Amino acid sequence: SIGKKNERNKSIKNAVLYRLAELQFWQGNFDKALQILQTVSGSLKDNSANDAIKLSLIISTLKYDSLSAVQYSKADLLTAQFKYEKAIDYFEKDTLSNQIIIKQMAMFKIAELYAAIGDYKSTIRYLEKLSKSENINLYSDESLFLLGKTYLYGLNKKVKAKTIFEKLLAKYPNSVYFTQARKIINDILSNGNEIL
């Protein structure tokens, strides 16, 4: 149908625009990247539209600290190139930022990268810091969710994972991860593996 074709064309256009914006971001052309990202439109079901919103927020946050912005964009490029250890080194520099939000963004990215290379102890160390932070934390619930998944799927510690998911449900009842966390708890209980 014509509607589906138009939607597909819009999705392809958004994907191309998002990639162009990413290239500008990686080259340190933050204003140009933001201009391109503003042209990405569509429903929240479109991954490129969602990614564009996230990248716009990241760039807007980083713009106030040019050194952190350069470090973060280099680290993001290295991540896209699957050079995770090098990316971690660059993100580590951003954890020294005076801006709490930049520090938290970098810490979360480091945790994700450690999970990607299978270093679950380091993943847990960073996620625990983020989830216990007293400061306003954009990643509090997401950190707990990833922490629970790391214990469950990375270390196969189901009791610990269940405890973390329960903490997420209690502490963040409006979290976007609430339904997923509840389903994982139910799966653990229904499989009779909660004693492991």
Side-chain angles (χ1 to χ4, degrees), residues 25 30 62-63 65-74 94 102:
F25 174 60
F30 305 119
L62 292 170
K63 277 180 70 173
D65 185 341
S66 57
L67 181 62
S68 290
V70 170
Q71 296 293 340
Y72 196 98
S73 64
K74 284 181 182 175
D94 273 344
I102 293 173

Side-chain angles (χ1 to χ4, degrees), residues 17-34:
L17 288 169
Y18 177 73
R19 287 292 171 226
L20 287 173
E22 248 185 346
L23 288 170
Q24 293 297 324
F25 174 60
W26 293 334
Q27 292 171 3
N29 302 325
F30 305 119
D31 289 329
K32 182 68 177 167
L34 280 173

Side-chain angles (χ1 to χ4, degrees), residues 25-26 55 58 62 67-80 83-97 101-114 126 139:
F25 174 60
W26 293 334
L55 187 55
I58 288 168
L62 292 170
L67 181 62
S68 290
V70 170
Q71 296 293 340
Y72 196 98
S73 64
K74 284 181 182 175
D76 194 61
L77 174 58
L78 290 166
T79 302
K83 298 176 181 175
Y84 297 149
E85 287 87 356
K86 284 185 181 178
I88 288 168
D89 290 341
Y90 276 97
F91 281 125
E92 282 288 356
K93 293 171 186 165
D94 273 344
T95 63
L96 305 174
S97 173
I101 293 174
I102 293 173
K103 188 180 290 196
Q104 291 171 351
M105 285 172 20
M107 287 174 68
F108 190 78
K109 291 296 275 187
I110 291 168
E112 287 182 315
L113 290 168
Y114 275 128
Y126 278 92
Y139 295 98

Side-chain angles (χ1 to χ4, degrees), residues 94-139:
D94 273 344
T95 63
L96 305 174
S97 173
N98 291 329
Q99 290 196 34
I100 292 168
I101 293 174
I102 293 173
K103 188 180 290 196
Q104 291 171 351
M105 285 172 20
M107 287 174 68
F108 190 78
K109 291 296 275 187
I110 291 168
E112 287 182 315
L113 290 168
Y114 275 128
I117 61 175
D119 183 347
Y120 301 121
K121 287 184 180 178
S122 296
T123 302
I124 288 166
R125 188 173 75 243
Y126 278 92
L127 292 174
E128 284 181 341
K129 278 185 204 173
L130 278 169
S131 62
K132 291 177 183 175
S133 175
E134 296 299 316
N135 299 314
I136 294 171
N137 191 338
L138 299 173
Y139 295 98

